[in-house]
Amino acid sequence: MLPGFTVEVLPEIDSTNTELMRRARAGQTDPVLLVAERQTAGRGRLGRTWSSGGDAVSTQALPPSLTFSLGLPLAPTDWSGLSLAVGLSAVESLHPALQLKWPNDVWLQDRKLAGILIETASVGEVRYAVIGVGINMVLPDGQGLRTPPAALCEVLPGIDAPATLGLVVAPLVRAIQRFVAEGFAPLRQAFHARDLLYGRELVCSDGVVGVARGVDAQGALLLHTDAGLKKITSAEVSVRLVPSANLP
């Protein structure tokens, strides 16, 4: 599917996304999967950190998390909805109980199990995309986290990081190639089936409150507010659930 594709597994790195972005800016735009057994400076959306586990869980039989970045040149007609397409591919590859929290998180029972971070760099006439994914393999210490954590072992007991990687990577490449060819619109119905937020009351970081009504054909969040239907893009705001809200 990806001529010239390589896989690298490193014992430790600051961030797989950061490393592939460094390489891209240095002119390396070949397709590559970079996997880290441990990240020391993992990053999430809006500058948040992503922990790949520390000494407290290093003695467990399973690694605390799976962190990898897929880097490849991309030229979609419209980039809108790419993070949703990536998340949808991941949950469909892993387990029916997993849901998607717009725009880039995988949740299990109202707890965060995985995160996605997409970055791009222009290298000459090439646009290079770096798609980073972090999945909790075992339950991390939730102290100090904004969101209660979940772990893949809760729904797939005994699964390890290599097996998880084997489940998600090939379907992810196919999903990205389909996204490039067709955009997000054909995935809208499948996303709706996994939509954690639909029908629930949300508050945006800009103070807007409303009830989620799914996503549009470009992947923008549709929010029913007192002022009418509002479209939210990931570039504008982040959203969080209003506590104890689960509206029809």
Side-chain angles (χ1 to χ4, degrees):
M1 292 185 288
L2 292 174
F5 177 69
T6 59
V7 178
E8 296 181 42
V9 181
L10 301 178
E12 183 174 297
I13 198 170
D14 54 353
S15 160
T16 53
N17 260 43
T18 299
E19 173 61 16
L20 291 190
M21 290 292 286
R22 281 192 291 254
R23 296 183 189 184
R25 294 185 179 110
Q28 299 181 45
T29 58
D30 52 308
V32 59
L33 176 70
L34 182 62
V35 186
E37 294 181 351
R38 184 174 183 269
Q39 285 194 145
T40 59
R43 295 179 292 115
R45 183 171 165 263
L46 303 177
R48 296 168 186 152
T49 60
W50 172 270
S51 173
S52 65
D55 294 339
V57 290
S58 62
T59 58
Q60 298 190 40
L62 293 173
S65 70
L66 168 64
T67 54
F68 67 87
S69 294
L70 178 66
L72 69 171
L74 287 186
T77 302
D78 186 354
W79 289 82
S80 303
L82 177 56
S83 67
L84 279 61
V86 170
L88 180 61
S89 175
V91 298
E92 289 183 338
S93 297
L94 291 173
H95 197 275
L98 303 183
Q99 293 181 283
L100 295 163
K101 178 180 177 292
W102 184 95
N104 59 350
D105 289 341
V106 174
W107 281 38
L108 171 66
Q109 300 168 348
D110 281 357
R111 296 170 294 130
K112 183 175 177 177
L113 186 144
I116 297 160
L117 176 64
I118 299 176
E119 300 175 281
T120 65
S122 295
V123 185
E125 297 183 358
V126 174
R127 189 84 176 270
Y128 193 74
V130 176
I131 299 165
V133 179
I135 302 172
N136 292 330
M137 299 300 300
V138 297
L139 200 61
D141 182 359
Q143 186 174 359
L145 297 180
R146 294 167 54 94
T147 305
L152 192 59
C153 67
E154 296 178 65
V155 290
L156 294 173
I159 194 168
D160 61 11
T164 303
L165 197 64
L167 289 176
V168 300
V169 172
L172 177 57
V173 171
R174 287 193 291 268
I176 292 168
Q177 291 177 333
R178 182 185 179 191
F179 175 86
V180 170
E182 303 176 10
F184 176 74
L187 304 174
R188 187 181 179 189
Q189 185 173 353
F191 183 88
H192 177 71
R194 298 285 191 136
D195 189 353
L196 172 79
L197 301 182
Y198 189 86
R200 301 179 72 166
E201 190 175 3
L202 312 176
V203 58
C204 301
S205 57
D206 62 359
V208 173
V209 177
V211 176
R213 290 297 181 216
V215 297
D216 69 7
Q218 287 72 48
L221 177 66
L222 301 176
L223 196 65
H224 183 73
T225 72
D226 290 341
L229 195 65
K230 181 178 176 63
K231 291 185 179 182
I232 308 293
T233 70
S234 59
E236 294 171 344
V237 292
S238 60
V239 299
R240 64 179 175 83
L241 292 166
V242 173
S244 302
N246 193 353
L247 306 180

